[in-house]
Amino acid sequence: MGALTVLITGASGRLGQVCVAEALARGYNVRALSRSGVSPAGGEIVQADLSCDPLKPALDGVDAILHLAAGMTGNAEDIERDTGLATMRLLSAAKLSGTPKIVLAGSIGVYGIASVEEGHVVNEHSPVETEPEGRDSYTRSKIAQELMIRESGLPFQILRIGAIWGPGQLWNAHLGIAKGPLLVRVGNEGQIPLAHITRAAEAMVAAITYDGPDRVFNITDDDLPDRIRYLKALYASGWPKMIVPISWRLLDRIAAPTGRRGLLNRPTLHARMKPVAWSNKRSLSALNLSSQPGFDALMSDALAQEVRA
């Protein structure tokens, strides 16, 4: 039997490029699909917009799909088109083509952190958000996307990936509120659910051949820092110039149950700042992920690469 053929959507994105390189390194035949028709990491390039273009040619002979394409920014309509509509059309085409498996790049943002206590260890059995109307458009789209995958009838794995970081991507929304050189650091207790880009890509590609019973995996780093530790390591980059700490509990007292933007919206505040811990034990074992350097070594490497760039 020859090498498996894998379609990777969102292949020109930051994570997509690393997934393409990882899949090629493992000997897969890779079709790199993107709207731009560009795949810096290689593979057979397929230019297509999942929300409107014919998809059958891209899926002919495909053994598995790594579905990374999603709307990250923009208004609700843009995100729904690039996530919801795109996923619906991809699943319909996959079923017609006989594609046996899909691996979704999901998000840890789908968890309903407001419904758990401080100190809770978030694992794959933790509750998913039950009131998505109180969350932002991106989170709502990822919750709906998971439901589409589950109802598709296709074999699947959903990888709920943490805040992706690495060289060139050191900011994340779990740190606080950034205003130029100033950072308002919201709280400190609890772990930042980081997922280094190499860990996320390795997990996505490893899931192609996983044939066990589990369908959902948390993908985070092994060594998760709190905010003070993260910012202390980041300080070598020259940012932030000033940090103003504020208690997340103070914001919780003045945040609205829903309807406001950003951290003054209580569900968003809890999802990003509530002091909880994160477990990746299931993915480490089932996907046989490689050992990972500690956080400080990864940050040092990321900063060094930025200097060289």
Side-chain angles (χ1 to χ4, degrees):
M1 183 177 179
L4 296 178
T5 297
V6 180
L7 176 71
I8 301 179
T9 72
S12 62
R14 192 185 296 268
L15 177 58
Q17 293 178 46
V18 184
C19 283
V20 169
E22 177 75 12
L24 288 171
R26 295 196 184 203
Y28 293 120
N29 298 318
V30 174
R31 290 185 189 167
L33 185 148
S34 71
R35 282 188 295 198
S36 66
V38 174
S39 175
E44 176 191 349
I45 298 172
V46 178
Q47 183 173 11
D49 186 329
L50 292 174
S51 68
C52 59
D53 289 335
L55 300 178
K56 186 178 184 302
L59 287 162
D60 282 345
V62 165
D63 297 297
I65 300 168
L66 299 189
H67 184 31
L68 284 73
M72 302 293 292
T73 58
N75 58 40
E77 291 76 16
D78 290 340
I79 291 175
E80 168 56 27
R81 179 194 66 225
D82 294 338
T83 303
L85 178 60
T87 299
M88 180 179 66
R89 296 186 75 250
L90 177 65
L91 291 172
S92 296
K95 285 187 284 187
L96 290 173
S97 70
T99 300
K101 185 171 188 179
I102 184 164
V103 180
L104 174 67
S107 169
I108 53 98
V110 303
Y111 286 110
I113 303 301
S115 65
V116 302
E117 299 295 327
E118 291 185 28
H120 175 82
V121 179
V122 183
N123 60 31
E124 291 82 357
H125 297 293
S126 295
V128 172
E129 181 63 74
T130 58
E131 298 181 4
E133 63 277 3
R135 303 291 296 277
D136 60 84
S137 297
Y138 170 76
T139 301
R140 292 197 301 271
S141 74
K142 298 303 285 186
I143 294 171
Q145 189 183 42
E146 282 199 11
L147 183 60
M148 291 182 199
I149 296 289
R150 291 179 183 276
E151 295 179 344
S152 69
L154 293 170
F156 69 88
Q157 264 81 46
I158 295 171
L159 274 57
R160 292 174 178 162
I161 302 173
I164 294 176
W165 73 294
Q169 191 171 353
L170 298 179
W171 160 258
N172 70 76
H174 297 268
L175 295 174
I177 304 168
K179 297 291 184 183
L182 171 68
L183 174 72
V184 179
R185 193 198 79 223
V186 181
N188 179 56
E189 303 94 341
Q191 297 173 329
I192 303 177
L194 299 175
H196 194 274
I197 194 165
T198 56
R199 165 57 61 86
E202 180 191 12
M204 288 292 295
V205 176
I208 293 170
T209 54
Y210 171 77
D211 61 358
D214 294 321
R215 292 289 173 261
V216 178
F217 296 98
N218 285 352
I219 307 300
T220 61
D221 292 343
D222 302 336
D223 181 16
L224 296 177
D226 60 23
R227 292 174 186 84
I228 287 180
R229 184 181 172 200
Y230 189 95
L231 292 168
K232 182 179 179 180
L234 182 63
Y235 188 73
S237 71
W239 184 90
K241 298 292 186 183
M242 181 182 299
I243 298 174
V244 177
I246 185 172
S247 166
W248 92 273
R249 296 179 186 85
L250 173 61
L251 285 184
D252 192 38
R253 286 197 290 270
I254 63 176
T258 188
R260 291 186 183 176
R261 299 184 63 182
L263 295 182
L264 290 181
N265 180 60
R266 185 164 291 125
T268 299
L269 175 66
H270 280 247
R272 295 182 186 173
M273 303 299 171
K274 193 171 192 174
V276 296
W278 299 83
S279 172
N280 65 355
K281 290 182 180 179
R282 175 187 285 183
S283 61
L284 286 177
S285 174
L287 301 180
N288 195 29
L289 301 181
S290 59
S291 60
Q292 187 185 42
F295 163 73
D296 296 291
L298 289 170
M299 176 63 86
S300 178
D301 179 70
L303 293 174
Q305 289 193 48
E306 292 202 346
V307 169
R308 290 197 295 270

